[in-house]
């Protein structure tokens, strides 16, 4: 698996004739193989993956991501570039293919269509692309520009797609886009479901933390938690609490039925959130940690404490390994009881890996929406606190 | 299920983990533990499917320390894990839950030590008294192990915890011994504690049979005698007995493959829709159809079953010896290395539709599949020339080596004249879902931890399987060499098997 080969890179085509050109491309690919049936190219398509970019330099990176995604989810990819700096109304298209070898060393190929638009053509991008979507298959739209979510040319896509994927990576509660994104996702009545790669980055954290409480003997501690600390890799440059950490705090609160009482910033990088749970208070602290080898603002450790009736400590720590993986260590320490930890090596969260995960999911994610709603409440509370200061 | 109470599991990628538990492997120093069981458990740990505190205790007669077992299993995991070798950190945490206990299989003192060790693990690692006993031992040891587990009070669970036992095939040598074994098991364990392994059932395509039949509306209306001509179920191996001649002499193709694996496949293909996916709902339907299979009378065996034995030949580019020349095999052996049987099912859905089962060693290649051959269209409108080589529709569920589905259709060749050819629509797991399928043992071990017995064989299925095979085995045993057909290694089996098929039908070349 994993051998990527371009049969024909960036073959320019007439937009109106893309389907015909694709047929020609596959015919040429099959003829190029010129041999036994076992050598034939297999064209497979499970879904449509639309990608919107505004930076032409991203074409290559996105194409690499698409190539990786096709290994686990063969798809028709349509990469759209909107050149916002040019006023001339133009549309150009290219076709290419992504091929990899499957476990039987057969060549499995998927097609990539690139569309570049400028001027007024951007406004009609959805009209240009809609006929190119393979019918009867799910449509995923990876929208890489958070600033254009209110634009008509984005909104025109919503009836055409099943799932919109954005990425709030790097945003903190101080970025206006963070709250705007949350409101847009939560308040509008979209046919399409929304998801955020920043939420997907939390998936393994959620899995590992949930796993700490699966044992029937330990599940009850979820309802006795009193203190949660979410650590993230420090970023000296940035100011504000990373949205990713807020999403995780929001997830805990929403899933465990906590009510937000107040939230304040301890300093530029640290916040304390106070919740009320049934019969007790829960304090969530989000604070930076100096960690070598992890991307800035990525979560590095989560510690959950239940201080009564006996002390129970649950934690998941992430640290880099000698190789390419990250090591995650979930640990349980019950005073006077069980103490154990496990260490699991998991690959780094590249965009390709995240997207491969994203295209497995259909429909709305209730936990995401609940976590986002709570994160928005926390942001609002932090903003209020800042105003009083 | 306790995990359903964990609100943090909502829409998690890894659905849930089983209750904390300890797997005790009897025969820990043996081949199965090294090649399959511990690598499978390691892969599950790596995929975050195991509970925190999960522990393994190896038990065998060999003197060994915990560290010795860990070193032995490290080598095994490096060599046999399908997800690649462990990193130092992964192994350190996995091995921390691995322990060894030495003792004889009927040694009460040894089991007392095992019991004490398990109690200590419960306290230190929170495994809550939940245990799986995996009998990775020769069949002769199953009885003594179960008896000693019973006598040591290890077969019963403490309140709030569970104890399960996994037993490998062979599950008896014939109907009588299978009944005896089951009676023995039931004196010590309840049936719901017993998990009889059938690793064939855990293969992705085998599970997909149920999904394909009952999640797609297009198949069920044609899944009956009106549209289906016959069904072929094949498990062909290119290998011979691989140094296990002694074992195989007492087994043969029917006992090794048909009585269990192929009969299970037949049941999944032919059963009625279950009322749910709960283990007993599926197993109830499977046993119903197995009981509807018409047993062969002794007088029918020669016309409905063929046995064969391979002679020297050529496989995989090299010369191979005949079965009687293999190590541990009698030069006058009549053990069948190939068997083909034609069964009928006496129910409304399948009356008159033959089911052909075949399995053999040293065949042309390794392949396992279920082929559902549909009837010809009622009027052959398009047959105008001999060039029209289309055949009736065929649905093939491939089990190995590459798992997937193929549907054969007739299509018109391009051109003015109407000429037809058969074309295949293919779905392959490896191509469409570029992810590693779980190894059968991973799936089975995890299911057992969850208490899900769907993929395990129930007592009544084992005994029904034997009951169907006994007339055939008895007839062959009484026939000497009379109906033993020899076939050259590297071929598709004896010519006599073709005669089973009847007019207008033929075994598929895979």
């Amino acid at each position: 698996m994993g051998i990527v080969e371009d049969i024909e890179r960036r073959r320019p085509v007439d937009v109106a004739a893309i389907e015909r050109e694709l047929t020609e491309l596959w015919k040429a690919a099959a003829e190029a193989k010129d041999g036994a049936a076992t050598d034939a190219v297999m064209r497979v398509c499970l879904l449509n993956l639309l990608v919107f970019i505004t930076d032409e330099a991203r074409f290559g990176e996105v194409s690499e991501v698409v190539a990786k995604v096709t290994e686990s989810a063969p798809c028709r990819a349509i990469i759209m570039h909107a050149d916002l700096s040019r006023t001339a109304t133009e549309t150009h298209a290219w076709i290419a293919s992504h091929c990899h070898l499957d476990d039987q060393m057969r060549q499995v190929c998927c097609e990539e269509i690139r569309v570049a638009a400028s001027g007024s053509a951007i406004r009609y991008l959805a009209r240009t692309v809609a006929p190119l979507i393979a019918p009867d298959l799910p449509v995923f739209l990876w929208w890489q520009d958070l600033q254009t979510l209110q634009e008509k040319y984005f909104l025109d896509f919503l009836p055409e797609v099943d799932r919109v994927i954005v990425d709030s990576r790097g945003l903190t509660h101080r970025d206006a886009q963070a709250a705007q994104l949350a409101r847009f996702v939560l308040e509008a009545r979209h046919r399409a479901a929304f998801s955020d790669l920043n939420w997907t980055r939390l998936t393994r954290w959620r899995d590992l933390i949930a796993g700490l409480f699966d044992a029937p003997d330990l599940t009850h501690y979820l309802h006795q938690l009193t203190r949660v600390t979410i650590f993230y890799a420090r970023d000296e440059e940035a100011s504000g609490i990373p949205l990713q950490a807020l999403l995780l705090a929001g997830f805990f609160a929403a899933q465990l039925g906590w009510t937000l009482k107040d939230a304040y910033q301890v300093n530029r990088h640290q916040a304390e959130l106070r919740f009320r749970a049934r019969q007790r208070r829960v304090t969530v602290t989000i604070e930076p940690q100096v960690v070598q080898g992890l991307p800035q603002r990525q979560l590095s450790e989560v510690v959950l404490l239940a201080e009564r009736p006996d002390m129970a400590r649950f934690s998941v720590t992430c640290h880099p390994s000698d190789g390419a993986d990250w090591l995650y260590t979930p640990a349980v320490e019950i005073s006077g009881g069980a103490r154990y930890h496990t260490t699991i090596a998991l690959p780094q969260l590249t965009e390709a890996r995240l997207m491969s995960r994203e295209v497995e999911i259909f429909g709305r994610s209730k936990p995401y929406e609940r976590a986002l709603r709570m994160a928005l409440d926390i942001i609002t509370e932090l903003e209020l606190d800042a105003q009083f200061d | 299920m306790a995990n359903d109470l964990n609100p943090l599991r909502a829409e998690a990628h890894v659905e849930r983990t089983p209750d904390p538990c300890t797997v005790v492997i009897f025969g820990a120093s043996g081949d199965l533990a090294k090649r399959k069981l511990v690598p499978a458990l390691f892969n599950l740990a790596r995929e975050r499917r195991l509970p925190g505190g999960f522990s393994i205790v190896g038990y065998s007669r060999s003197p060994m320390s915990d560290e010795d077992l860990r070193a032995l299993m490290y080598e095994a995991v490096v060599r046999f894990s399908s997800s690649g070798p462990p990193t130092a950190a992964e192994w350190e945490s996995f091995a921390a839950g691995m322990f060894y206990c030495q003792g004889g299989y009927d040694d009460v003192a040894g089991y007392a030590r095992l019991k004490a060790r398990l109690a200590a693990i419960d306290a230190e690692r929170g495994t809550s008294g939940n245990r799986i006993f995996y009998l990775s031992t020769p069949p002769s040891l199953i009885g003594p192990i179960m008896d000693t587990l019973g006598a040591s009070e290890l077969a019963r669970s403490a309140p709030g915890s569970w104890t399960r036992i996994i037993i490998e095939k062979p599950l008896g040598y014939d109907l009588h011994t299978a009944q005896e074994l089951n009676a023995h098991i039931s004196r010590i364990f309840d049936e719901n504690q017993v998990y009889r392994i059938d690793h064939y059932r855990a293969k992705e395509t085998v599970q997909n049979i149920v999904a394909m039949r009952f999640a797609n509306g297009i198949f069920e209306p044609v899944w009956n005698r009106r549209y289906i001509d016959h069904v072929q179920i094949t498990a062909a191996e290119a290998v011979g007995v691989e140094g296990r001649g002694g074992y195989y002499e007492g087994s043969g193709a029917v006992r090794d493959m048909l009585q269990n694996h192929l009969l299970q496949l037949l049941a999944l293909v032919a059963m009625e829709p279950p009322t749910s996916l709960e283990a007993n709902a599926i197993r109830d339907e499977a046993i119903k159809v197995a009981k509807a299979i018409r047993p062969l009378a002794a007088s029918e065996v020669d016309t409905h079953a063929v046995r064969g034995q391979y002679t020297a030949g050529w496989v995989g580019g090299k010369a191979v010896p005949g079965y009687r020349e293999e190590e541990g095999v009698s030069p006058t052996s009549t053990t069948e290395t190939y068997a083909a049987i034609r069964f009928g099912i006496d129910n409304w859905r399948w009356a008159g539709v033959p089911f052909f089962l075949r399995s053999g060693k040293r065949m042309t290649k390794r392949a396992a599949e279920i082929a559902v051959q549909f009837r010809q269209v009622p009027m052959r409108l398009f047959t105008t020339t001999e060039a029209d080589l289309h055949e009736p529709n065929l649905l093939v569920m491939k089990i190995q080596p590459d798992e997937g589905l193929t549907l054969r259709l007739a299509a018109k060749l391009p051109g003015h004249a109407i000429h037809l050819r058969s074309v295949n629509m293919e779905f392959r797991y490896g191509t469409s879902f570029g992810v590693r399928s779980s190894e059968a043992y991973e799936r089975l071990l995890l299911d057992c931890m969850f208490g899900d017995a769907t993929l395990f064989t129930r007592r009544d299925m084992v005994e029904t399987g034997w009951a169907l095979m006994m007339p055939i085995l008895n007839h062959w045993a009484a026939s000497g060499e009379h109906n033993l057909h020899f076939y050259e290694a590297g071929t598709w089996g004896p010519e006599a098997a073709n005669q089973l098929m009847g007019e207008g039908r033929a075994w598929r070349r895979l």
Side-chain angles (χ1 to χ4, degrees):
Chain A
M1 297 280 290
I3 298 172
V4 178
E5 174 188 313
D6 283 330
I7 293 174
E8 196 158 349
R9 174 55 91 195
R10 288 179 66 119
R11 172 173 160 186
V13 292
D14 177 0
V15 176
I18 282 179
E19 284 295 351
R20 195 181 64 226
E21 293 288 344
L22 282 169
T23 306
E24 288 300 315
L25 183 143
W26 290 114
K27 232 168 102 180
E31 283 164 5
K33 286 289 146 192
D34 185 35
T38 48
D39 286 336
V41 172
M42 297 176 79
R43 180 185 181 188
V44 184
C45 188
L46 295 183
L47 54 98
N48 294 279
L49 176 58
L50 279 51
V51 190
F52 175 86
I53 55 175
T54 50
D55 177 3
E56 192 176 7
R58 285 278 288 158
F59 255 137
E61 289 167 45
V62 168
S63 189
E64 288 300 315
V65 171
V66 166
K68 282 282 175 200
V69 170
T70 58
E71 288 178 13
S72 56
C75 60
R76 170 175 282 194
I78 305 174
I79 307 176
M80 304 167 285
H81 168 229
D83 187 345
L84 302 174
S85 62
R86 288 190 68 220
T87 51
T89 296
E90 286 178 7
T91 307
H92 299 284
W94 301 266
I95 54 172
S97 60
H98 287 292
C99 297
H100 64 272
L101 300 178
D102 73 0
D103 51 359
Q104 300 294 310
M105 301 304 281
R106 282 175 299 248
Q107 189 160 234
V108 181
C109 292
C110 311
E111 52 222 2
E112 179 188 303
I113 301 167
R114 293 183 178 188
V115 178
S118 60
S120 298
I122 296 172
R123 287 170 52 202
Y124 300 103
L125 204 47
R127 303 285 168 271
T128 305
V129 166
L132 303 176
I133 293 172
D136 299 322
L137 293 172
V139 185
F140 294 80
L141 171 62
W142 182 13
W143 197 266
Q144 296 208 355
D145 185 6
L146 292 179
Q147 290 178 357
T148 54
L149 288 183
Q150 301 293 345
E151 299 288 345
K152 182 177 179 302
Y153 56 83
F154 167 70
L155 300 173
D156 280 350
F157 273 100
L158 295 185
E160 306 290 346
V161 306
D162 298 295
R163 193 172 179 86
V164 180
I165 301 160
V166 293
D167 191 355
S168 67
R169 177 178 206 155
L171 294 186
T172 71
H173 83 281
R174 286 178 178 248
D175 295 305
Q177 277 174 28
Q180 281 168 7
L181 172 66
R183 287 193 185 100
F184 181 77
V185 171
L186 295 169
E187 289 169 11
R189 295 259 174 253
H190 309 298
R191 173 185 170 274
F194 273 76
S195 82
D196 182 349
L197 293 184
N198 217 14
W199 169 254
T200 313
R201 287 184 189 93
L202 285 176
T203 303
R204 57 175 58 164
W205 285 94
R206 293 193 293 124
D207 282 342
L208 292 166
I209 293 165
L212 296 169
F213 298 95
D214 274 343
D217 292 356
L218 302 180
T219 308
H220 67 96
Y221 283 109
L222 278 175
H223 306 291
Q224 289 160 1
L225 293 175
T226 47
R227 181 168 291 277
V228 176
T229 311
I230 301 170
F231 294 98
Y232 64 93
R234 180 190 283 274
D235 177 4
E236 284 301 341
E237 308 276 304
S239 174
I241 309 304
L243 184 56
Q244 190 185 40
L246 293 174
L247 280 170
L248 185 63
F251 170 70
F252 288 142
Q255 292 304 121
L256 299 174
W258 303 344
T259 314
L260 181 66
K261 299 314 290 179
D262 67 71
Y264 69 96
Q265 257 191 281
V266 178
N267 56 44
R268 276 174 58 216
H269 303 287
Q270 185 173 342
E272 191 158 298
L273 323 173
R274 293 186 183 135
F275 295 91
R276 176 157 299 173
R278 207 183 304 164
Q279 309 287 332
R280 70 188 195 286
R281 291 170 199 277
V282 184
T283 304
V284 177
T285 308
I286 301 173
E287 61 178 88
Q289 206 174 36
V290 179
V291 191
Q292 300 297 326
L294 288 185
Q296 290 175 337
R297 281 179 266 180
Q298 178 182 298
L299 299 193
S300 53
E301 185 175 8
V302 178
V303 179
L304 304 98
L305 296 178
E307 291 158 311
R308 288 188 304 272
D310 46 0
M311 177 61 121
R313 185 180 193 276
F314 304 86
S315 64
V316 177
T317 311
C318 174
H319 44 101
S321 72
D322 297 340
D325 292 342
W326 288 328
L327 298 176
Y328 290 81
T329 305
V332 173
E333 291 174 40
I334 311 292
S335 83
R339 296 166 72 92
Y340 52 81
H341 72 274
T342 52
T343 299
I344 300 149
L346 294 172
Q348 293 188 20
L349 287 170
T350 59
E351 277 187 331
R353 195 169 294 280
L354 291 165
M355 283 304 297
S356 298
R357 164 82 182 120
E358 277 296 331
V359 297
E360 289 174 2
I361 308 166
F362 299 95
R364 290 177 188 284
S365 165
K366 288 270 170 55
Y368 165 60
E369 291 182 3
R370 285 196 289 258
L372 187 63
R373 193 174 299 282
M374 187 60 82
L376 182 59
D377 289 349
I378 297 168
I379 290 171
T380 309
E381 198 66 30
L382 287 170
E383 282 170 353
L384 271 176
D385 179 63
Q387 284 169 19
F388 285 130
D389 280 356
Chain B
M1 190 64 65
N3 287 306
D4 296 341
L5 303 172
N6 181 348
L8 299 186
R9 274 280 173 221
E11 286 184 18
H13 183 48
V14 177
E15 287 164 12
R16 59 187 170 125
T17 53
D19 294 347
C21 61
T22 303
V23 173
V24 180
I25 302 174
F26 287 97
S29 53
D31 228 29
L32 183 68
K34 285 186 284 193
R35 282 175 175 270
K36 297 286 183 189
L37 303 182
V38 176
L41 290 167
F42 173 76
N43 288 342
L44 288 171
R46 182 175 255 176
E47 288 171 11
R48 294 170 278 157
R49 302 305 308 266
L50 293 184
F54 171 81
S55 304
I56 299 170
V57 177
Y59 187 98
S60 76
R61 288 183 284 231
S62 316
M64 229 191 297
S65 66
D66 290 347
E67 283 309 318
D68 292 339
L69 179 72
R70 289 167 188 164
L72 186 72
M73 292 307 169
Y74 177 76
E75 295 301 321
V77 169
V78 167
R79 196 159 161 213
F80 297 115
S81 164
S82 58
S83 67
T87 63
E90 282 177 316
W91 184 254
E92 182 265 323
S93 72
F94 183 72
M98 193 182 293
F99 309 95
Y100 184 72
C101 192
Q102 191 227 331
Y105 292 113
D106 55 357
D107 171 13
V108 176
Y111 282 54
R113 286 195 298 277
L114 174 64
K115 195 174 179 181
R117 195 82 201 253
L118 289 170
I121 291 169
D122 285 343
E124 289 159 21
R125 297 180 57 81
T127 42
S128 309
N130 299 322
R131 332 214 178 288
I132 292 173
F133 295 111
Y134 199 117
L135 273 52
S136 171
T137 55
S140 59
L141 294 173
I142 292 177
I145 292 172
M146 286 195 304
D147 288 340
T148 323
L149 282 172
S152 310
E153 295 186 341
L154 278 163
R156 295 284 152 217
S157 319
S161 61
W162 47 258
T163 300
R164 296 172 188 142
I165 183 165
I166 300 180
I167 301 172
E168 280 277 340
K169 72 169 194 178
L171 302 167
Y173 176 77
D174 54 22
L175 178 59
H176 176 67
T177 53
Q179 285 170 329
E180 268 188 353
L181 175 65
N182 283 333
H184 195 152
I185 292 169
S186 66
R187 284 197 293 276
I188 298 155
F189 292 94
D190 294 333
E191 179 63 22
N192 63 14
Q193 291 180 281
V194 183
Y195 291 73
R196 298 174 186 84
I197 282 261
D198 182 344
H199 63 267
Y200 240 68
R201 286 287 305 274
K203 288 181 181 292
E204 204 74 56
T205 308
V206 176
Q207 292 169 62
N208 205 30
I209 295 169
V210 177
M212 193 211 67
R213 284 194 57 197
F214 304 125
N216 295 293
I218 59 167
F219 293 117
E220 198 51 25
V222 296
W223 211 254
N224 56 53
R225 63 190 302 275
R226 191 166 171 202
Y227 297 99
I228 291 177
D229 180 75
H230 72 275
V231 178
Q232 295 182 22
I233 302 176
T234 302
E237 294 176 275
V239 295
V241 290
E242 303 295 291
R244 293 164 64 234
Y247 161 77
Y248 202 79
E249 273 289 86
S251 174
V254 168
R255 289 185 170 90
D256 197 40
M257 295 296 293
L258 276 81
Q259 175 271 333
N260 38 47
H261 304 318
L262 267 58
L263 216 51
Q264 288 280 359
L265 296 182
L266 185 156
L268 289 175
V269 171
M271 72 184 189
E272 296 298 314
T275 51
S276 75
L277 286 180
E278 196 265 324
N280 274 333
I282 293 176
R283 299 197 298 182
D284 285 347
E285 294 305 333
I287 191 68
K288 245 189 261 177
V289 78
K291 286 188 169 170
I293 297 172
R294 191 183 328 121
L296 300 181
S299 58
E300 292 176 305
V301 173
D302 283 339
T303 52
H304 285 69
V306 167
R307 62 172 171 159
Q309 192 184 82
Y310 66 82
T311 58
W314 194 264
V315 179
K318 58 183 181 189
V320 295
Y323 177 69
R324 289 178 174 181
E325 297 144 35
E326 301 269 15
E327 192 185 330
V329 174
S330 159
T332 57
S333 170
T334 56
T335 300
E336 80 283 358
T337 60
Y338 174 97
I341 305 175
R342 171 188 175 135
F343 277 125
I345 299 176
D346 289 336
N347 65 18
W348 277 48
R349 187 189 285 265
W350 296 116
V353 178
F355 282 73
F356 298 99
L357 276 53
R358 66 171 164 167
S359 178
K361 289 196 174 289
R362 285 276 186 242
M363 294 179 71
T364 309
K365 66 178 181 185
R366 172 174 173 255
E369 63 162 47
I370 300 162
V372 178
Q373 170 85 64
F374 290 88
R375 289 185 187 277
Q376 273 288 7
V377 289
M379 192 179 81
R380 302 188 73 164
L381 189 64
F382 296 98
T383 307
T384 52
T385 72
E386 286 193 7
D388 296 331
L389 294 173
H390 73 285
E391 294 179 44
N393 299 127
L394 179 80
L395 180 69
V396 181
M397 292 166 255
K398 296 185 178 183
I399 296 164
Q400 59 191 25
D402 39 345
E403 302 182 288
L405 291 172
T406 299
L407 179 62
R408 186 173 70 197
L409 305 165
K412 179 186 166 299
L413 284 171
H416 292 296
I418 295 181
H419 292 302
L420 303 183
R421 280 289 159 85
S422 292
V423 292
N424 285 350
M425 280 173 61
E426 296 218 40
F427 157 72
R428 288 170 194 269
Y429 269 95
T431 303
S432 298
F433 304 114
V435 292
R436 185 183 78 93
S437 291
S438 291
E439 294 282 318
Y441 277 97
E442 290 171 31
R443 174 71 199 256
L444 292 166
L445 284 160
L446 194 64
D447 279 5
C448 180
M449 289 180 215
F450 278 121
D452 181 350
T454 309
L455 304 180
F456 295 85
T457 313
R458 206 165 61 183
R459 172 183 183 157
D460 49 2
M461 192 67 179
V462 175
E463 293 178 13
T464 303
W466 280 119
L468 284 166
M469 298 300 164
M470 288 323 296
I472 301 166
L473 290 168
N474 290 337
H475 179 75
W476 287 349
S479 305
E481 262 196 28
H482 163 63
N483 45 23
L484 180 65
H485 302 273
F486 294 94
Y487 63 100
E488 193 182 321
T491 66
W492 283 112
E495 175 56 32
N498 293 328
Q499 289 156 23
L500 280 186
M501 304 296 288
E503 187 66 31
R505 297 184 184 120
W507 288 110
R508 278 171 43 73
R509 272 182 288 114
L510 308 183

